[in-house]
């Protein structure tokens, strides 16, 4: 019988980005806490903005001043999400924070955007045994994620960058670019004058 020499808890493995088992009781309790707060946030009436803000602050790791997230919001743990000041997320944000998700200041997030930190092994035996892992996502200041954009595990998006609606971001994007498509590719640098820009001046 082989004994696993790794004495870390599953939560410690998860936060280190290593393989872990998600059905661990400690992790399950963290997820239940998040589910309760998420349900309360998602059903709080719009006119009760103070209560919405209180629930959001309790659910997430950090919420900057002036930031607004419209329900429904879906998270795994919530506590691994940090979002800066004056940012806005429209309806239907899915932010699966098995690893940390860091969102900067003045970020605009369209409807039904997905930020997905979890990964699963390609090896079929490991996957069948329910091992999984995660990699962090970082969204820089003043980024705009168009509706339906998907950002995959391990991705960093530089400040001021615009990601087109429906794009799938599979690798890092630099600052000050526009990226579209699946997989997302840079189509221009912000600041370059295009025919469309000239026509709308």
């Amino acid at each position: 019988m082989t004994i696993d020499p790794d004495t870390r808890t599953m939560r410690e493995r998860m936060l280190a980005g290593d393989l872990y088992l998600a059905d661990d009781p400690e992790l399950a309790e963290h997820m239940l806490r998040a589910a309760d707060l998420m349900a309360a946030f998602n059903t709080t009436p719009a006119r009760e903005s103070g209560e919405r803000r209180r629930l959001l602050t309790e659910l997430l790791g950090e919420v900057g001043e002036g930031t607004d997230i419209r329900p429904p919001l879906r998270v795994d743990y919530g506590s691994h999400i940090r979002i800066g000041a004056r940012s806005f997320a429209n309806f239907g944000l899915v932010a699966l924070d098995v690893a940390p998700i860091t969102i900067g200041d003045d970020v605009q997030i369209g409807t039904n955007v997905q930020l997905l930190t979890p990964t699963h092994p390609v090896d079929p035996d490991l996957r069948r045994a329910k091992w999984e892992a995660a990699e962090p996502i970082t969204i820089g200041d003043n980024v705009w994620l168009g509706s339906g954009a998907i950002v995959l595990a391990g991705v960093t998006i530089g400040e001021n960058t615009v990601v087109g609606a429906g794009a799938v971001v599979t690798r890092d994007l630099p600052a000050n670019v526009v990226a579209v498509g699946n997989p997302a590719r840079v189509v221009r640098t912000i600041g370059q004058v295009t025919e469309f820009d000239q026509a709308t001046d």
Side-chain angles (χ1 to χ4, degrees):
M1 176 177 171
T2 301
I3 298 175
D4 186 350
D6 194 333
T7 59
R8 295 176 299 170
T9 67
M10 289 298 166
R11 185 164 191 266
E12 289 170 336
R13 291 185 188 209
M14 181 186 80
L15 294 176
D18 297 328
L19 289 172
Y20 75 100
L21 296 171
D23 62 355
D24 175 74
E26 180 187 11
L27 292 176
E29 181 56 37
H30 280 276
M31 291 187 80
L32 286 171
R33 173 190 177 276
D36 289 342
L37 289 168
M38 190 169 49
F41 172 78
N42 287 336
T43 56
T44 298
R47 294 181 189 276
E48 296 181 22
S49 57
E51 177 63 3
R52 266 196 189 172
R53 176 72 184 191
R54 184 192 72 77
L55 288 164
L56 191 65
T57 300
E58 190 173 350
L59 173 62
L60 303 187
E62 183 179 331
V63 183
E65 184 177 355
T67 284
D68 182 27
I69 298 178
R70 289 182 174 177
L73 168 67
R74 305 292 182 207
V75 303
D76 275 331
Y77 299 97
S79 57
H80 307 143
I81 299 172
R82 283 167 174 70
I83 182 167
R86 302 172 304 280
S87 290
F88 173 73
N90 216 326
F91 306 111
L93 173 63
V94 174
L96 301 187
D97 60 318
V98 176
I101 296 175
T102 305
I103 301 169
D105 298 334
D106 303 299
V107 173
Q108 299 290 314
I109 299 176
T111 54
N112 299 314
V113 166
Q114 300 179 56
L115 308 177
L116 310 176
T117 70
T119 65
H120 297 274
V122 173
D123 183 297
D125 292 331
L126 288 174
R127 198 166 62 249
R128 187 176 292 110
K130 308 307 180 192
W131 290 98
E132 57 186 89
E135 298 178 41
I137 290 173
T138 302
I139 310 295
D141 294 344
N142 204 35
V143 165
W144 174 18
L145 301 177
S147 292
I150 299 174
V151 181
L152 298 186
V155 164
T156 294
I157 299 177
E159 65 180 7
N160 302 322
T161 283
V162 175
V163 176
V168 179
V169 187
T170 62
R171 59 186 60 185
D172 292 356
L173 293 174
N176 301 300
V177 299
V178 176
V180 300
N182 180 10
R185 68 194 187 287
V186 174
V187 293
R188 72 178 176 99
T189 299
I190 294 172
Q192 291 177 335
V193 177
T194 68
E195 291 181 9
F196 177 78
D197 294 327
Q198 292 171 333
T200 56
D201 281 347

